[in-house]
Amino acid sequence: MNTMKQASLKQTAVAVATAVALMAGTVPVFAKESAPKNPGAASSTTVWADPVMQNVAAYSGRALVWHLESVKAFLAKGDIPQARGELETSREFAAAIRLMMPYTVVVDQINNAKTHLTEDSTDLFYADLLPIYSSLDEMQVYAPKLAAKARAGVKRAERHARAGNKKAAVEALRDVSNDITVTTVYMPVRLVAQDIRVAQKALDKQKPDTATAVKTVDTALASLSTVVRQVAFAPQKS
């Protein structure tokens, strides 16, 4: 990624983080307006350990949904250039969210390592460990207890893998990933970014493939909607 793109992502991340900081400690407005009569039916009984990060997830996730909905609106009007512009904004926004949410990066890395083990790509799995441990070092600042527990789980997976017990290693990584996602804030921005790239390629064809673009944007929205709703209505730890 070149310097100009890095600067753009950082500016987006700072803008979102600043807006969230002004609202930190409050219940998101859209949660107040559309809270279900039975909140327990909207999500699991997750209690978010970090209310500020909950607000980051809620507001930034809502904004990303808005950008993707704008893509669909422009496509419905046949305005391909505007749809392309909104897709690029969505892509940059998704990347900025990753920069703001350290938990997301760790979960993505752990899930990649788990995939490599499942596919018997042990060399790739061992190569995955260094960036995972590095990310856990960063996470230590935000959630020291959770980071320490996650590190122990990853080390356990590494021991199982080196002993030839791939199944136990995969289960250990799954436990680590689950621990992080149910006690912090996780949004599938990597998967959403992949869908955005597919949509961009579809519209960049000589004859833009709007049907594929709409379908992949819908997939991205489906990935986000459940998480954004869950974050919006989840109780915060007092």
Side-chain angles (χ1 to χ4, degrees), residues 17-238:
T18 301
V20 171
L22 293 174
M23 298 178 286
T26 66
V27 177
V29 174
F30 65 90
K32 290 179 180 178
E33 293 174 345
S34 57
K37 293 180 180 179
N38 181 10
S43 67
S44 66
T45 55
T46 300
V47 176
W48 299 97
D50 188 338
V52 174
M53 289 304 292
Q54 179 179 335
N55 282 333
V56 170
Y59 282 97
S60 59
R62 182 74 167 187
L64 183 53
V65 166
W66 184 87
H67 283 300
L68 290 171
E69 291 285 6
S70 295
V71 173
K72 290 183 63 179
F74 283 124
L75 288 176
K77 295 177 182 178
D79 193 337
I80 304 299
Q82 288 280 23
R84 288 190 183 120
E86 279 296 331
L87 276 173
E88 180 60 20
T89 299
S90 299
R91 185 194 64 77
E92 292 181 354
F93 206 88
I97 291 174
R98 279 192 102 229
L99 291 179
M100 291 186 298
M101 300 177 65
Y103 308 118
T104 297
V105 176
V106 174
V107 172
D108 285 346
Q109 290 172 331
I110 290 173
N111 286 341
N112 282 339
K114 185 175 64 178
T115 298
H116 289 152
L117 269 180
T118 303
E119 295 174 347
D120 289 324
S121 302
T122 51
D123 289 342
L124 291 176
F125 164 72
Y126 294 132
D128 291 332
L129 293 177
L130 184 59
I132 289 175
Y133 287 132
S134 178
S135 294
L136 288 174
D137 286 341
E138 295 179 11
M139 196 172 122
Q140 189 81 20
V141 177
Y142 301 91
K145 291 183 179 179
L146 184 60
K149 184 178 179 181
R151 180 181 296 277
V154 174
K155 285 185 176 294
R156 184 166 59 254
E158 181 179 0
R159 287 195 300 271
H160 285 312
R162 295 191 184 280
N165 192 343
K166 184 185 70 174
K167 182 179 179 181
V170 169
E171 289 177 354
L173 289 177
R174 185 181 297 115
D175 288 343
V176 173
S177 178
N178 288 342
D179 280 345
I180 295 174
T181 56
V182 301
T183 56
T184 59
V185 178
Y186 176 70
M187 294 181 67
V189 288
R190 183 174 64 87
L191 295 176
V192 169
Q194 290 174 354
D195 290 329
I196 290 171
R197 284 194 292 272
V198 171
Q200 286 179 312
K201 289 180 180 178
L203 294 186
D204 285 341
K205 291 181 178 180
Q206 187 171 3
K207 183 180 179 180
D209 184 353
T210 56
T212 296
V214 170
K215 182 178 179 180
T216 53
V217 168
D218 280 339
T219 299
L221 286 167
S223 298
L224 282 170
S225 62
T226 300
V227 178
V228 170
R229 185 177 179 83
Q230 179 181 353
V231 173
F233 300 126
Q236 296 181 357
K237 185 176 291 185
S238 58

